[in-house]
Amino acid sequence: MNPESARGVPRREFVRTAVAIGGTAALAACLGREEPDLPNGPADGSSLPARQHAWNAALATDDHGNVVPPAHRVLLYLSYAGEGPPTRADRDAMERTLRTVERAYPRSHEGLLFSVSYSPAYFGRFEASLPDSVDLPEPRALSPFETPAFDRPDAVVHLASDYGSVVLAAEQALLGERDELNGVDVADSLRGVFERVDRRTGFVGAGLPAGHQDVEGIPDSEPVPEASPLFMGFQSGFTKNQASEDAVTIPTGPFAGGTTQQLSLLRLHLEQWYGQDSRYHRVATMFCPVHAEEGLVEGVGENLGDTSLMEERGCPAHTGEHARQYGVVGHSQKSARARRDGSPIILRRDFNSTDDGRASLHFLSLQRGIGDFVATREAMNGTDLASGAVGQRTNNGILQYVTVERRGNFLVPPRRLRSLPPATPAD
Ligand code: HEM
């Protein structure tokens, strides 16, 4: 018997479920399965990157050099406990807490990667507005066919690790629910500084979606391929189709070295996708009709290497023509129309979720300013393409299978400003 499944439920499925539940019992159960043996992080944080979002160098890479996203995620939505601008004492307590977490785990996919981000509502606590170098509007609906609710917590902490138990233990340490983390004493916490107002969880990586497809939004036939890192059955995040960390970094002003984060909750409706649509249709709507015609995508896309072959096959430039010729356009080809100097302008770090028993995607993207996300989303909307067989949502990429339920915008400051930053820090 495979030792992974010796206790009935395969380890990775068990861990994913524990992360979704959270709390002390889930962590204990998780530790029984994972047993991570990790060194501590650096005693002195000065060697850590100045950019909170500089994760790529700390991630594993696949055979083609694409970064492999950390498997387990928790998003903590936090409300500042005080009124008005934050106090110096709270800022210091928060920074001490984050440093403890950094001392406990190596900053890597096996250890812990995290970032702290702040909403426009948070910056509204200050008299002065954010500088013009930061493009952080309140969230709004971004297509004519969506009516999302808006998230306006003060802060969101994004926790990521290949070990579910690491993510859970870090969460508990942050919330003041444990006094030790990987052998490091935890003297401070965010308790009293923030209240947790929401908790969202997820996962990404081959096997995880297939192991958790027994949820609303996915047909009972268990169609999600074992090799797929995401519910929709294809690989994502090819190096050539992602913005670089440099490209999404705010270049000037007091928040230089930071980035902005768009975080939406997308519900997936994959009954027709898997139940009725052909593979041709799935490839055409996810990538491009040329990819479907010429059979460019094998399996989940493992043959593609480090590119989805958008520019290489001229797909973005021919989107309108394809709409007329094939009656269908691809999600990737449409989205790839939003580029700067030939490169994508958002860095996607999205992951799937089964929160509330429904198949979802937490779409987390980083970009220099929220305007870059809006431009990309408008390209993906393809409202300009709707004519004939291509409707506002049907045959128009993957829009028909996805509903945007919530949106939120955040600033991920550079590390030195990550703890309750003022709106106008000194340069
Ligand atoms: C269920 C939701 C989604 C799924 C399953 C999905 C999947 C994919 C896949 C498989 C690709 C092609 C492979 C790759 O280049 O990584 C891709 C490309 C892309 N997607 Fe999505 N995506 C989703 C939502 C979104 C959203 C909400 C946006 C933002 C507006 C977006 C923006 C992009 C961009 C910018 C590209 C790359 C285009 C380029 O080459 O420049 N995607 N997506």
Side-chain angles (χ1 to χ4, degrees):
M1 191 189 230
N2 175 354
E4 277 243 312
S5 54
R7 279 166 281 183
V9 186
R11 179 174 63 88
R12 58 162 200 257
E13 292 181 26
F14 186 91
V15 170
R16 200 288 311 162
T17 307
V19 171
I21 294 169
T24 312
L27 173 59
C30 213
L31 279 170
R33 304 275 176 135
E34 285 190 331
E35 295 159 19
D37 181 15
L38 294 167
N40 288 132
D44 166 11
S46 62
S47 63
L48 297 173
R51 301 174 182 178
Q52 290 198 76
H53 61 285
W55 287 18
N56 286 0
L59 296 177
T61 47
D62 67 15
D63 293 346
H64 310 289
N66 301 306
V67 294
V68 180
H72 297 286
R73 311 294 182 93
V74 170
L75 296 169
L76 298 176
Y77 284 64
L78 303 174
S79 173
Y80 181 59
E83 296 290 323
T87 63
R88 177 72 194 263
D90 284 346
R91 187 170 287 152
D92 292 347
M94 179 171 189
E95 186 55 29
R96 285 196 304 272
T97 306
L98 299 179
R99 287 189 183 199
T100 303
V101 172
E102 283 170 339
R103 265 199 310 280
Y105 292 117
R107 191 179 183 280
S108 77
H109 62 101
E110 286 179 309
L112 180 72
L113 289 159
F114 69 88
S115 66
V116 189
S117 61
Y118 297 88
S119 67
Y122 165 79
F123 289 108
R125 292 174 172 276
F126 299 90
E127 252 173 54
S129 318
L130 280 167
D132 289 345
S133 50
V134 174
D135 170 21
L136 186 74
E138 286 282 354
R140 62 178 174 89
L142 294 180
S143 67
F145 43 84
E146 67 179 44
T147 50
F150 301 115
D151 289 315
R152 295 191 173 96
D154 285 293
V156 169
V157 178
H158 178 192
L159 300 168
S161 173
D162 286 346
Y163 286 112
S165 54
V166 168
V167 165
L168 285 176
E171 175 186 8
Q172 289 182 6
L174 289 174
L175 298 177
E177 292 167 2
R178 55 185 299 132
D179 51 18
E180 170 278 326
L181 191 60
N182 199 26
V184 169
D185 282 345
V186 178
D188 300 283
S189 79
L190 302 182
R191 181 178 282 182
V193 178
F194 285 107
E195 270 167 50
R196 190 179 72 187
V197 289
D198 202 359
R199 176 176 192 276
R200 301 183 194 170
T201 72
F203 52 87
V204 53
L208 282 161
H212 297 95
Q213 51 185 309
D214 184 15
V215 283
E216 198 183 311
I218 299 184
D220 294 338
S221 57
E222 302 200 346
V224 179
E226 179 68 23
S228 180
L230 291 167
F231 275 137
M232 289 192 76
F234 294 107
Q235 268 183 23
S236 184
F238 299 104
T239 306
K240 294 210 170 117
N241 302 86
Q242 286 277 50
S244 67
E245 288 174 346
D246 283 352
V248 302
T249 299
I250 297 172
T252 54
F255 287 101
T259 187
T260 69
Q261 174 177 279
Q262 196 286 153
L263 198 41
S264 40
L265 171 55
L266 311 183
R267 294 293 178 193
L268 304 177
H269 319 283
L270 303 183
E271 291 83 0
Q272 180 184 324
W273 177 255
Y274 282 119
Q276 292 154 42
D277 294 339
S278 62
R279 169 147 182 108
Y280 180 103
H281 186 80
R282 286 197 293 270
V283 173
T285 49
M286 184 61 86
F287 292 90
C288 167
V290 168
H291 288 52
E293 281 290 323
E294 298 185 16
L296 298 180
V297 182
E298 289 168 21
V300 301
E302 52 269 58
N303 64 309
L304 291 170
D306 66 354
T307 173
S308 67
L309 297 175
M310 285 299 124
E311 297 303 340
E312 294 87 337
R313 303 309 299 246
C315 300
H318 292 98
T319 309
E321 204 179 307
H322 288 172
R324 289 185 294 278
Q325 187 182 344
Y326 297 101
V328 57
V329 289
H331 161 72
S332 310
Q333 84 178 126
K334 280 188 298 177
S335 307
R337 296 180 300 169
R339 297 210 164 194
R340 185 180 294 125
D341 304 328
S343 297
I345 50 179
I346 68 171
L347 172 51
R348 294 165 283 138
R349 289 198 168 143
D350 50 297
F351 49 95
N352 276 139
S353 176
T354 52
D355 289 347
D356 312 324
R358 300 193 287 173
S360 325
L361 183 101
H362 292 296
F363 192 84
L364 189 158
S365 72
L366 305 177
Q367 50 283 309
R368 205 183 287 172
I370 293 297
D372 283 346
F373 178 77
V374 174
T376 305
R377 178 67 211 201
E378 279 169 0
M380 171 180 161
N381 287 344
T383 310
D384 54 312
L385 304 165
S387 162
V390 176
Q392 194 172 59
R393 296 181 70 198
T394 47
N395 298 328
N396 199 337
I398 55 173
L399 296 173
Q400 180 188 354
Y401 313 96
V402 173
T403 308
V404 182
E405 286 204 348
R406 310 194 69 90
R407 287 195 184 282
N409 294 337
F410 303 90
L411 172 68
V412 185
R415 182 172 176 274
R416 67 187 173 84
L417 291 168
R418 67 186 171 177
S419 295
L420 293 165
T424 49
D427 268 305

